[in-house]
Amino acid sequence: MHKLAIYLAATAALAFTGSAGAQGYPERSITMVVPFAAGGPTDTVTRLVAESMSKDLGQQIIVENVGGAGGTLGASQVAKADPDGYTLLLHHIGMATSATLYRKLPYDTLNAFEYVGLVTDVPMTIVAKKDFEPTDLKGLIEYVKANADKVSLANAGIGAASHLCGMLFMSEIKTPLVTVPYKGTGPAMTDLLGGQVDLMCDQTTNTTKQIKGGTIKAYAVTSPKRLDALPDLPTVAEGGLPGMQVGIWHGIYAPKGTPAEVTQKLSASLQKALKDPNVVARFAELGTVPSSEAEATPEGLKSRLESEVTRWKPVIEAAGQYAD
Amino acid sequence: MDLLNNLALGFATAASPWNLLFCLTGVLLGTLIGVLPGIGATATIAMLLPITFQLEPVSSLIMLAGIYYGAQYGGSTTAILINMPGESSSAVTAIDGYQMARRGRAGAALAIAAIGSFFAGTVSTVLVAVFAPPLTAIALQFGSAEYFSLMIVGLVSSIALAHGSVVKALGMVVLGLLLGLVGTDIYTGTPRFNLGILELSDGLNFVALAVGVFGIAEILRNLENEHERDVVIKKVTNLWPTREDWKAMTAPILRGTVIGSALGILPGGGAILASFASYTVEKRISNTPGEFGKGAIAGVAGPESANNAGAQTSFIPMLTLGIPANPVMALMIGAMIIQGIVPGPNVATEQPALFWGIIASMWIGNLMLILLNLPLIGLWVKLLTIPYYMLFPAIIAFCSIGVYSVNSNVFDLYAVAFFGLLGYGLAKLRCEPAPLLLGFVLGPLLEEHLRRAMIMSRGDPSTFVTRPISLILLLLAAAVLVVVLLPSIRKKRDEVFVED
């Protein structure tokens, strides 16, 4: 029955429990919850950072995927966890938008967590099917305004990064389009590749390789500066849409009440991980850069979360689309 | 002779001792987790991801791929032995496979499944190697209108899954469709039938449903009449397929391979139809449709081949487009990204050793699987001789661990218990769980593609008949309906649906 042994060992490793003070933290493995499915962009970011932080902390960080309900299931699980520093959450911009998208959340977004720091700010790209007519962002805006009833805009589901970016795009060019939701980025990208749908705005983690491969057309990147990975792609500001600057920022959280020494220690470890050449290189391939040392702090994450909750509230309310 | 050069490169990569070892590790692990009820490839690969960071990219992907198709092999083992399918594909195998086991032919059923899978795996690997790029171009022609029409074909044909009352089978399909609606409307974000429970906002968990209505319900039924079960075990006779078995399985394996390969290429949910479609075809063209549901060999050989062929060809969209066809592929893409390879349209030219190495390893892995599985059959069958009072608590424990490991969510365990009771109730009413499962899988896809096609056509339903592929599929569905309804063929139909 060696299969039994393997399985029991695996479960036992995951189920370690106990408690410890801040001294000597961490004394055992840490669970980092990702509120999305394994294999997605957020999961990838988490695993890269977790691996590097594990080396620094001398304890294994186990990534646990608790997907569902736009990330709110995973977040609520961590909000209820023991505040001992052994359960952490890595969540993206959805932490801020779900505060408005969901009218009934089982936790209070701004008061249920302690903060470790920002991890990265993944830029978005405005992309279209390969043979889409317009050649640049200005041309795209004109074309879309003139053909608003014909253009379809894909997104990966309510609350997804591509949904937020699409809402922002429509509100910036003041033209409502037909939006086509998909279950996740994969099918949305498939239809964009096949020319079944016209436009999408999605994270560089999903689009960079396709843009480089020439299978889709890119108009602009939503970061303040051009990307090293896509040097020919102008920014939204260059293209005349400065209000489109948006990033899918990722941060690490701990349950409310986690000792400050613990979050400080994690924060210091995060800052080191973000300078790890391996992490930097992988992030670059995905078209993103690690957050700065000033941002990768509890204060940096707290202020970002607060300002983003405020920023997205009116955009979501104007669109009138809620997730519950 | 690019192809030969490429294949040579692939085999040189995959056959290095180190990579052979990882391939073996992968298929071994895959078989083991496949055999454990409820534990799927997705959860295992997710758990093993951190280990792969330390390996060469090719080695780690070869190992992960091995787990994936190893689990496809192993999954049919539990479906046959204890009526416990872990995935939609093996749900079909359970129908006739488990009946074969009850007739004392578990060994033959397992062997047929393994042989069919190996053949299908070999053919579809060649397909992947030779036709990946052109096949991808065809797959991209499938928009939502085409997928909708494909699902209609699937739904219309699904009634053939029943081996009892047609009305009850229809009822089960509809119940499955309705269960599939639980969750969040992806177009408006409106919650549906979630009873205010946040865990239900992404719908019911397939594994929980399948394990409940098939496995747990079966355990409850077995506990009801335990003496009957002991009789079954004592009857276990020959482990290997007889000459008649070989004859009976050849054609279904060939047909299953074709069906599975074709459907596996479609990234929008084609592969899940593979085993259902194959079963339907086999039952339709069989001379003895009454045998289906009572241990028909074609009912195991066809779907098993289709399912493995689909599993292999579903690598095509991932390798050529960088797009995941299912959650396992999404994990593999995640693994590649962490290794510094961002999968996309250029992987074949930028990383030829990786691309062709994976393809070559698929065939090597399939070879290992059959060498591994045939001798193990005797062992698996012995498992049935374990006293049931020891076996069933172990099964329930493994199921719980497996279901929990999918989302790390306790709610899914309550769902298993609920569906176990529901499945038991349905069994008492002589309602089949397989059509229910098909409805559950098809329902959300049907709705999603119908509504998306209508959004894209701005509300014009003619989109389904003006797009040629969609039109052909709808005509096919109509033809199936005609066959079922026409009075002249009704006699044949009555033979297909023999009432209990």
Side-chain angles (χ1 to χ4, degrees):
Chain A
M1 294 303 300
H2 46 308
K3 57 187 162 51
L4 178 88
I6 291 173
Y7 213 77
L8 289 183
T11 11
L14 289 171
F16 253 78
T17 46
S19 67
Q23 287 89 13
Y25 171 88
E27 291 173 326
R28 57 187 167 89
S29 60
I30 299 167
T31 300
M32 194 179 285
V33 171
V34 184
F36 301 100
T42 307
D43 181 62
T44 308
V45 164
T46 310
R47 286 177 194 271
L48 287 170
V49 171
E51 200 209 352
S52 184
M53 284 175 70
S54 298
K55 282 184 206 143
D56 176 57
L57 294 168
Q59 286 289 350
Q60 190 65 35
I61 298 183
I62 296 165
V63 177
E64 187 179 319
N65 301 90
V66 186
T72 57
L73 280 184
S76 94
Q77 184 174 321
V78 175
K80 283 181 273 180
D82 286 340
D84 54 8
Y86 291 99
T87 309
L88 305 174
L89 171 73
L90 197 151
H91 201 337
H92 64 35
I93 187 171
M95 186 72 147
T97 52
S98 56
T100 313
L101 276 171
Y102 291 81
R103 284 158 294 191
K104 284 175 290 185
L105 274 186
Y107 55 90
D108 174 0
T109 303
L110 291 172
N111 291 307
F113 298 96
E114 304 290 344
Y115 306 89
V116 174
L118 277 163
V119 177
T120 181
D121 214 330
V122 183
M124 312 283 288
T125 46
I126 301 174
V127 293
K129 61 182 179 186
K130 190 169 57 182
D131 50 0
F132 204 50
E133 230 168 83
T135 49
D136 58 9
L137 187 59
K138 283 204 171 69
L140 175 74
I141 296 168
E142 281 166 26
Y143 182 89
V144 167
K145 284 188 165 180
N147 299 285
D149 54 335
K150 293 200 198 89
V151 177
S152 42
L153 172 69
N155 70 53
I158 306 264
S162 47
H163 175 229
L164 301 172
C165 187
M167 282 197 291
L168 199 61
F169 180 68
M170 289 187 286
S171 89
E172 283 295 316
I173 65 169
K174 298 186 183 63
T175 311
L177 299 174
V178 172
T179 55
V180 187
Y182 288 81
K183 274 188 187 162
T185 302
M189 183 56 82
T190 311
D191 267 10
L192 197 66
L193 291 175
Q196 312 282 352
V197 63
D198 303 315
L199 269 182
M200 183 158 74
C201 175
D202 205 3
Q203 305 179 62
T204 48
T205 34
N206 296 323
T207 58
T208 305
K209 201 73 181 181
Q210 303 291 354
I211 296 171
K212 283 185 175 173
T215 50
I216 54 175
K217 200 177 232 176
Y219 292 104
V221 59
T222 65
S223 52
K225 281 194 301 184
R226 289 193 182 203
L227 300 176
D228 291 342
L230 298 165
D232 299 332
L233 188 62
T235 64
V236 278
E238 289 173 55
L241 278 182
M244 272 294 289
Q245 259 182 35
V246 57
I248 303 305
W249 50 275
H250 294 64
I252 299 178
Y253 305 80
K256 190 79 184 174
T258 305
E261 307 91 87
V262 169
T263 53
Q264 288 298 348
K265 181 153 193 183
L266 287 167
S267 196
S269 175
L270 170 66
Q271 289 162 14
K272 269 187 225 162
L274 294 178
K275 290 190 189 117
D276 180 340
N278 182 42
V279 172
V280 176
R282 294 286 182 268
F283 274 24
E285 277 158 13
L286 295 173
T288 186
V289 283
S291 295
S292 69
E293 201 168 303
E295 288 174 319
T297 55
E299 301 74 35
L301 178 57
K302 184 168 193 277
S303 70
R304 178 68 69 96
L305 178 68
E306 286 168 356
S307 67
E308 289 281 289
V309 170
T310 319
R311 175 187 184 184
W312 287 100
K313 200 169 191 291
V315 178
I316 294 165
E317 284 174 347
Q321 281 187 327
Y322 296 94
D324 63 1
Chain B
M1 285 285 95
D2 257 5
L3 177 69
L4 288 184
N5 286 338
N6 285 333
L7 279 178
L9 173 68
F11 275 99
T13 313
S16 78
W18 198 236
N19 285 337
L20 279 179
L21 179 70
F22 281 109
C23 190
L24 182 67
T25 314
V27 296
L28 210 59
L29 261 174
T31 307
L32 290 177
I33 54 125
V35 166
L36 293 175
I39 299 167
T42 316
T44 313
I45 293 181
M47 271 191 259
L48 287 178
L49 265 190
I51 298 172
T52 65
F53 300 165
Q54 323 301 335
L55 307 176
E56 286 288 303
V58 186
S59 311
S60 64
L61 286 169
I62 284 178
M63 184 174 87
L64 295 180
I67 294 175
Y68 173 56
Y69 46 76
Q72 302 281 342
Y73 268 71
S76 47
T77 309
T78 42
I80 290 169
L81 293 179
I82 53 174
N83 198 22
M84 183 82 79
E87 293 174 64
S88 56
S89 48
S90 40
V92 179
T93 311
I95 305 175
D96 279 280
Y98 182 63
Q99 292 307 322
M100 281 184 77
R102 290 185 56 143
R103 286 176 171 191
R105 307 219 57 214
L110 289 170
I112 288 167
I115 294 163
S117 295
F118 174 70
F119 178 81
T122 305
V123 172
S124 50
T125 303
V126 174
L127 265 177
V128 174
V130 183
F131 295 116
L135 287 178
T136 309
I138 297 173
L140 284 179
Q141 299 293 311
F142 267 68
S144 279
E146 286 75 19
Y147 278 114
F148 171 74
S149 303
L150 180 69
M151 301 303 158
I152 289 290
V153 178
L155 205 60
V156 169
S157 323
S158 68
I159 307 301
L161 284 174
H163 53 82
S165 150
V166 182
V167 176
K168 282 180 181 170
L170 262 179
M172 286 296 96
V173 172
V174 172
L175 181 62
L177 286 171
L178 290 174
L179 288 175
L181 293 182
V182 173
T184 305
D185 178 344
I186 64 162
Y187 293 96
T188 61
T190 312
R192 294 193 297 210
F193 310 116
N194 74 355
L195 313 174
I197 300 167
L198 204 54
E199 280 83 357
L200 281 179
S201 59
D202 285 333
L204 292 161
N205 178 340
F206 174 83
V207 179
L209 177 68
V211 163
V213 293
F214 273 91
I216 303 292
E218 183 63 27
I219 288 175
L220 293 175
R221 273 165 66 182
N222 277 331
L223 289 177
E224 209 175 48
N225 36 25
E226 205 168 338
H227 53 281
E228 212 175 276
R229 208 195 121 80
D230 293 334
V231 177
V232 170
I233 297 154
K234 289 192 186 98
K235 283 200 308 199
V236 173
T237 49
N238 56 334
L239 290 184
W240 302 100
T242 61
R243 185 170 297 193
E244 289 79 58
D245 294 345
W246 279 97
K247 240 185 239 164
M249 72 201 225
T250 310
I253 286 177
L254 288 172
R255 285 188 289 265
T257 304
V258 173
I259 294 169
S261 302
L263 289 170
I265 298 159
L266 302 172
I272 50 168
L273 277 179
S275 47
F276 286 111
S278 165
Y279 190 87
T280 308
V281 168
E282 292 311 322
K283 190 167 176 180
R284 286 255 170 245
I285 63 179
S286 169
N287 291 327
T288 53
E291 272 296 293
F292 281 74
K294 294 176 188 152
I297 284 165
V300 177
E304 270 301 302
S305 314
N307 142 32
N308 209 43
Q312 306 276 337
T313 52
S314 62
F315 274 84
I316 291 181
M318 185 192 83
L319 288 171
T320 57
L321 299 174
I323 280 178
N326 55 45
V328 175
M329 293 297 137
L331 277 171
M332 303 259 299
I333 286 178
M336 285 197 194
I337 291 175
I338 289 168
Q339 294 276 5
I341 302 160
V342 183
N346 299 337
V347 166
T349 44
E350 284 171 9
Q351 306 266 357
L354 175 99
F355 184 86
W356 294 99
I358 291 177
I359 289 176
S361 84
M362 285 182 188
W363 188 77
I364 296 176
N366 271 288
L367 185 67
M368 285 177 175
L369 276 169
I370 192 147
L371 294 177
L372 187 76
N373 274 295
L374 288 181
L376 276 178
I377 288 174
L379 181 75
W380 298 137
V381 172
K382 280 222 183 64
L383 251 153
L384 287 179
T385 56
I386 296 175
Y388 205 58
Y389 65 86
M390 286 171 72
L391 195 59
F392 88 83
I395 295 174
I396 292 182
F398 278 122
C399 281
S400 309
I401 296 172
V403 170
Y404 180 77
S405 68
V406 177
N407 280 330
S408 314
N409 197 331
V410 184
F411 180 82
D412 289 342
L413 295 180
Y414 299 135
V416 171
F418 175 79
F419 286 114
L421 290 175
L422 180 74
Y424 178 70
L426 291 175
K428 287 275 146 196
L429 298 169
R430 294 180 161 270
C431 291
E432 309 282 333
L436 181 135
L437 227 45
L438 182 71
F440 179 74
V441 168
L442 284 187
L445 288 170
L446 201 65
E447 186 207 0
E448 184 187 335
H449 289 299
L450 169 67
R451 291 176 65 185
R452 188 178 299 133
M454 294 296 282
I455 290 177
M456 300 243 205
S457 72
R458 306 295 185 269
D460 178 4
S462 69
T463 182
F464 297 106
V465 289
T466 50
R467 297 176 63 123
I469 303 177
S470 169
L471 178 64
I472 293 168
L473 288 167
L474 284 179
L475 289 175
L476 187 67
V480 174
L481 261 187
V482 168
V483 169
V484 176
L485 295 179
L486 265 191
S488 60
I489 327 179
R490 183 164 289 163
K491 204 183 259 174
K492 168 103 177 156
R493 199 214 69 155
D494 286 342
E495 280 165 26
V496 176
F497 307 112
V498 186
E499 298 270 344
D500 279 346

